[in-house]
Amino acid sequence: MPTTVLPQGRLSSMIAGKEATFGVAPSTFFGLNFYTESLTQKTPQEDDPLLGSGLANSRDRTAPAPGLSDHGGDIEVPLDYAQIGYWLALVMGAPTTTGTTDFSHVFTSGGLALPTWAMEVTKKSGDVRKHAGCAAKSLRINTQKKAGYHRATVSIVGKSETLAAAVTPGSQPVPPTLEQIPGTKGIIRVNNVIAGNILESDLTYSTGVSMERYIDDLDAPGGAVLLDQATLDGSLRLRYQSSTIETFGRNFTSVPVELEFTLSATRSLLLSMANVRFDAAGPELKGPGGIEQTLAFKAHQAGEDAMLVATLANGVTSYA
């Protein structure tokens, strides 16, 4: 008896396009590589304890009512020198781009408006999930020296999901060539000095986006709005050698922090936080071995410095 042919995740694909109008798919898309995705629309059921319906008994629940749909999920993507620019543009808006052959793209936090995407994920042949009004809720980058390549996680909220048998006609672009960042790459500077004893860094940039529901005949949200302030929180886990970074927290001093991945003069990614305040927390002793310390931090804007500036150098012409 032959084996059963089952859908395989490795045969899936993802395309996206920038919406000119919220929830309306554009005519052009671009392809994207990804590791995992959980985008879906869920509609829960709500209890509806209706009285006076002549029911069979007084104990069993009555028929439920439909709840409000909720659309979103997480996408784990390559942290690379090419495609990450699309995700940075979704999270922070279009960059300022300079160059002719080799380009520098500067993304700055704090923009008044962010784009939304239409996204189409092919699960298998004949099973395409079309997601409308997708906005980035957060971008998380966890870094430690490891085998393989670095990854990032983008959390998405959206308007709606529909099932289709095929992608939008003519919209099957090949993803831009990946230029992945090896897991051995990456340095961290604290107060302009390379911190050589960092075991792990974890940072999350949250956009403050929310899906707003209006009084109309539609179940789906009516718009993506920036109601909350953008935030950048994170932590550094380090091999304790001195109290230098801890002292910044105890003195409530803001210092610059940078996370840099450089392959060459024309291939690099620099995440700059000009003003970071660390929590005051001492190291913990968990045995006779080496001592570790975890210091949480919050980035903020100050003066003319935005909270986060991401500078991406590559050969991509534009992310607008």
Side-chain angles (χ1 to χ4, degrees):
M1 179 177 178
T3 57
T4 302
V5 178
L6 298 174
Q8 298 266 331
R10 70 187 63 192
L11 299 178
S12 63
S13 62
M14 177 184 294
I15 60 174
K18 187 176 179 181
E19 296 176 339
T21 301
F22 176 73
V24 179
S27 57
T28 59
F29 288 74
F30 47 86
L32 292 165
N33 293 108
F34 63 103
Y35 287 103
T36 64
E37 65 86 20
S38 60
L39 278 182
T40 190
Q41 179 175 324
K42 300 177 182 178
T43 304
Q45 300 179 73
E46 300 291 330
D47 285 337
D48 186 38
L50 187 66
L51 304 180
S53 299
L55 301 174
N57 60 64
S58 62
R59 295 287 299 144
D60 295 342
R61 73 154 39 115
T62 54
L68 287 174
S69 65
D70 182 55
H71 179 266
D74 293 339
I75 306 175
E76 190 178 34
V77 303
L79 184 65
D80 77 319
Y81 297 115
Q83 293 185 29
I84 195 63
Y86 290 106
W87 298 107
L88 289 172
L90 185 64
V91 169
M92 291 195 285
T96 299
T97 298
T98 56
T100 53
T101 302
D102 297 308
F103 300 91
S104 175
H105 312 276
V106 180
F107 304 83
T108 305
S109 64
L112 294 177
L114 295 178
T116 59
W117 285 356
M119 304 182 70
E120 300 185 7
V121 180
T122 301
K123 302 286 187 177
K124 65 172 186 174
S125 178
D127 186 339
V128 179
R129 311 299 171 112
K130 297 188 176 186
H131 304 274
C134 296
K137 188 174 182 179
S138 66
L139 170 68
R140 181 188 179 199
I141 298 176
N142 178 274
T143 306
Q144 51 189 303
K145 189 147 291 189
K146 58 186 177 183
Y149 297 105
H150 288 302
R151 304 180 184 184
T153 301
V154 184
S155 181
I156 298 289
V157 290
K159 178 180 181 180
S160 62
E161 175 189 23
T162 57
L163 277 61
V167 297
T168 299
S171 59
Q172 301 182 51
V174 176
T177 302
L178 273 176
E179 298 181 72
Q180 291 176 272
I181 301 175
T184 55
K185 288 288 183 183
I187 59 173
I188 294 176
R189 297 186 188 88
V190 178
N191 201 26
N192 302 311
V193 176
I194 294 178
N197 58 332
I198 304 297
L199 298 171
E200 180 181 8
S201 71
D202 197 332
L203 62 89
T204 299
Y205 175 81
S206 299
T207 63
V209 71
S210 298
M211 287 293 161
E212 193 151 80
R213 297 179 184 273
Y214 306 124
I215 300 175
D216 53 27
D217 287 332
L218 301 176
D219 175 42
V225 293
L226 296 175
L227 289 179
D228 298 322
Q229 65 180 3
T231 60
L232 199 168
D233 301 303
S235 64
L236 299 180
R237 182 171 65 89
L238 52 91
R239 179 66 65 196
Y240 181 72
Q241 295 178 354
S242 73
S243 60
T244 300
I245 300 178
E246 177 186 340
T247 300
F248 294 137
R250 296 196 178 278
N251 293 336
F252 208 55
T253 302
S254 294
V255 295
V257 174
E258 293 181 331
L259 179 57
E260 180 181 351
F261 307 92
T262 296
L263 184 65
S264 67
T266 60
R267 297 294 183 271
S268 64
L269 173 62
L270 176 65
L271 303 175
S272 300
M273 297 161 278
N275 298 279
V276 170
R277 283 182 178 167
F278 288 93
D279 289 358
E284 297 181 4
L285 294 174
K286 296 184 178 181
I291 304 173
E292 290 187 13
Q293 183 177 25
T294 298
L295 294 170
F297 65 79
K298 295 181 182 294
H300 62 93
Q301 63 169 312
E304 296 183 355
D305 295 324
M307 184 169 60
L308 173 65
V309 176
T311 304
L312 179 64
N314 58 27
V316 178
T317 304
S318 173
Y319 293 105

